[in-house]
Amino acid sequence: MLTYNQPPAALTGSTAQIAATFAGLAAEMGEPFISRFLPGEIAQLLHEHGFGQVTDFGPNEARAAYFPGQADIEIAGAQRLVAATLVPAFARSGNSTGQQA
């Protein structure tokens, strides 16, 4: 499980303002945000590196999970949470017997 930030161009409104503030603070502390991803990009990257099922969780998913039916709740946040399962090496190699190749 990890968190990642989205590119500034993907953000609007208060989310963009909050993200810019946090990015500035992180840079001042010597920890600039170097890599930023869109949800589809991080999923593709994880799949390319041997991960299987990817679950991505952001503001819209939080609103649906914690405030169902309340569309008036605003959750601002450029940072998203992603969890992925590691596919065993034998499954990636196409060996269907379950034995290491």
Side-chain angles (χ1 to χ4, degrees):
M1 190 174 306
L2 62 96
T3 60
Y4 68 95
N5 290 296
Q6 297 180 86
L11 309 174
T12 60
S14 60
T15 297
Q17 293 171 344
I18 292 167
T21 299
F22 278 113
L25 291 170
E28 287 175 14
M29 292 188 284
E31 296 290 338
F33 296 163
I34 297 171
S35 301
R36 299 176 194 220
F37 304 94
L38 294 172
E41 293 171 332
I42 195 75
Q44 180 180 347
L45 183 64
L46 290 167
H47 288 302
E48 288 172 1
H49 290 277
F51 289 88
Q53 181 179 349
V54 174
T55 303
D56 195 280
F57 195 84
N60 291 337
E61 293 80 10
R63 185 181 308 103
Y66 302 116
F67 303 100
Q70 295 180 315
D72 60 329
I73 301 292
E74 182 179 348
I75 302 174
Q79 197 169 67
R80 298 180 63 87
L81 177 67
V82 66
T85 57
L86 186 59
V87 175
F90 67 84
R92 288 193 306 261
S93 69
N95 182 346
S96 61
T97 65
Q99 300 294 316
Q100 291 292 330

